[in-house]
Amino acid sequence: MGRDLPQRDFTDEDRERFRARLRASLGLLDGLLTSPGFGAGEPTLGAELEMFLVTRDGVPVPRNEEVRRAAADPRLVLEVNRYNLEANLTPVPLRPRPFTALHDEADTLLEAVRRAGAAHGAEPYCAGLLPTLRPADLTRRNMSPRGRYAVIDDALGRAGRGLRVSGEQRLRMRSDTFCAQGAASSWQIHLTVRPEEFTRVHNAAQLMTAPVLAVAANSPLLLGRRAWDESRIPWYEQAFGQHRRRVAPADRRSGFGHGWLRGGVRELAEEAVRRYAPLVPLCSDGDWDRPLRPGGPPALDELRLHLGTLWWWNRPVYDPAGDGHLRIELRALPSGPTPADMVANTALLTGLVLDRAAREPGGELPFALA
């Protein structure tokens, strides 16, 4: 989902070919979901740790490419703005001690960033929002030197967007770029899920997101104003600009969703293909439905790329590595403040989700309650 893009401009023919491959991918996905061995491995837990680069006084340091290069660690990748970095942690088995492993790796990666950033006066800071940001820090001039973000920004449109957050204090800002999203950092959990369990686990994740987010909230300050206890949530959704175009909540590319899942990952994939126009219609070369290895599942590059341009709080992931598997990316928790905090939030969320999913439903709650 986070790969860079070698192409910036797309034709109508590119878009039509991409849409055709998306539709065909749904049929291939149907076959995969019923094929023996697909998604049958031991469950794993992974995470993405987003962070800010700041001075000791909290001033953003736009040197992510230099810090990443100095760290020389392939687990570190650039995020939207030049003071954002992301660390991709190694997936670990759900048993016996996943939280200890995630804690130790997050701690190691933050120390690596701290050492690499020292020459640039930068150190990592983990929180849902960087409270010292100013509006001038959220402009396109701060965008990371990575083609993916420029393509997405162009595709979303450069018309002025009005961002509004009302809480204890009100905040309004005009922006013509999704670089406003660079104010937010998350701790995103990846939980592998067997195809036959996907509906129950996804619905459990939808139900448990809000109470765990309430426990984890750490970002009340946004551009000098006190808004929500976790102001990252409304800011992130609005930074993609979908709210200003009279788009119905169910059609926005970021958000929580609009109902309980009934038909597994196929339902979400079909919704993604039917409801959302491709932002980045980049078709893979050669046989697009090819397996990564002989006898393996198809790559489905177009479907994976398309899903990566929908920023749902609980997002489906298809991964063709090995024999292939499905994941749910639990995206709502904030980064920080420490690895211990993030791992504790992970233990609470995954424990509640898996416990709820394992229970027989005893009457369905209204989705509006979630």
Side-chain angles (χ1 to χ4, degrees):
M1 288 181 172
R3 62 175 171 154
D4 207 355
L5 304 173
Q7 185 176 339
R8 290 286 298 272
D9 299 312
F10 301 96
T11 65
D12 289 342
E13 183 181 354
D14 291 330
R15 295 183 179 88
E16 185 51 44
R17 186 170 66 222
F18 190 88
R19 290 189 185 98
R21 290 188 180 183
L22 285 179
R23 292 189 293 268
S25 293
L26 295 177
L28 291 173
L29 184 62
D30 283 337
L32 276 173
L33 295 176
T34 57
S35 63
F38 176 74
E42 286 299 312
T44 63
L45 198 62
E48 301 172 49
L49 169 55
E50 297 175 346
M51 68 193 80
F52 301 98
L53 297 175
V54 299
T55 67
R56 290 195 173 186
D57 294 329
V59 177
V61 178
R63 295 287 184 273
N64 61 358
E65 174 61 26
E66 294 87 342
V67 172
R68 186 190 66 85
R69 192 182 304 119
D73 192 318
R75 293 172 293 179
L76 296 174
V77 298
L78 306 184
E79 257 297 334
V80 176
N81 289 343
R82 295 171 64 213
Y83 46 78
N84 301 131
L85 266 181
E86 178 182 281
N88 293 304
L89 278 67
T90 308
V92 296
L94 199 55
R95 293 181 175 84
R97 300 177 64 85
F99 308 116
T100 298
L102 291 176
H103 173 277
D104 292 348
E105 187 172 16
D107 199 47
T108 298
L109 283 164
L110 287 171
E111 181 57 32
V113 172
R114 188 172 291 109
R115 290 196 305 269
H120 304 282
E123 57 185 57
Y125 175 80
C126 296
L129 291 167
L130 178 58
T132 51
L133 284 173
R134 302 163 298 171
D137 297 316
L138 301 174
T139 61
R140 195 174 170 104
R141 68 179 177 85
N142 268 325
M143 182 180 289
S144 289
R146 192 179 183 196
R148 168 183 171 85
Y149 299 123
V151 171
I152 292 175
D153 200 34
D154 290 341
L156 287 171
R158 302 297 303 281
R161 305 162 189 169
L163 286 81
R164 302 179 182 182
V165 181
S166 296
E168 292 186 33
Q169 297 176 304
R170 292 184 178 181
L171 171 68
R172 293 185 178 184
M173 193 185 93
R174 299 287 294 177
S175 174
D176 66 350
T177 171
F178 93 126
C179 288
Q181 188 264 325
S185 281
S186 301
W187 166 256
Q188 297 159 4
I189 305 163
H190 287 251
L191 177 65
T192 58
V193 182
R194 295 176 188 270
E196 66 273 16
E197 299 171 349
F198 194 94
T199 297
R200 294 169 69 93
V201 177
H202 184 272
N203 286 341
Q206 294 283 78
L207 180 63
M208 297 304 176
T209 292
V212 179
L213 180 60
V215 172
N218 67 26
S219 302
L221 299 179
L222 174 61
L223 299 177
R225 303 291 178 87
R226 188 177 183 92
W228 294 20
D229 288 333
E230 185 60 28
S231 302
R232 173 183 55 97
I233 296 294
W235 187 260
Y236 185 90
E237 292 187 359
Q238 294 184 50
F240 292 99
Q242 294 294 312
H243 66 291
R244 65 168 295 278
R245 303 176 190 175
R246 298 182 180 178
V247 177
D251 293 328
R252 295 173 184 169
R253 301 188 83 97
S254 58
F256 187 67
H258 52 89
W260 298 117
L261 189 63
R262 305 291 184 189
V265 71
R266 176 56 158 80
E267 179 184 330
L268 292 176
E270 183 177 7
E271 179 182 352
V273 171
R274 173 176 48 85
R275 194 184 291 271
Y276 300 95
L279 277 188
V280 187
L282 177 66
C283 291
S284 56
D285 296 329
D287 297 328
W288 65 275
D289 55 350
R290 71 196 185 285
L292 293 181
R293 60 174 181 80
L300 301 186
D301 289 332
E302 286 77 9
L303 182 61
R304 290 190 291 141
L305 177 59
H306 186 58
L307 289 173
T309 61
L310 299 174
W311 295 276
W312 298 333
W313 290 116
N314 292 309
R315 182 166 67 178
V317 179
Y318 162 68
D319 193 329
D323 292 326
H325 66 264
L326 301 175
R327 300 196 298 272
I328 297 176
E329 183 183 3
L330 310 164
R331 299 168 44 82
L333 296 183
S335 176
T338 70
D341 294 301
M342 291 181 278
V343 167
N345 295 334
T346 304
L348 179 60
L349 180 57
T350 55
L352 287 172
V353 166
L354 293 176
D355 179 72
R356 173 72 183 186
R359 295 173 182 269
E360 290 298 322
E364 188 170 288
L365 297 166
F367 185 76
L369 182 62

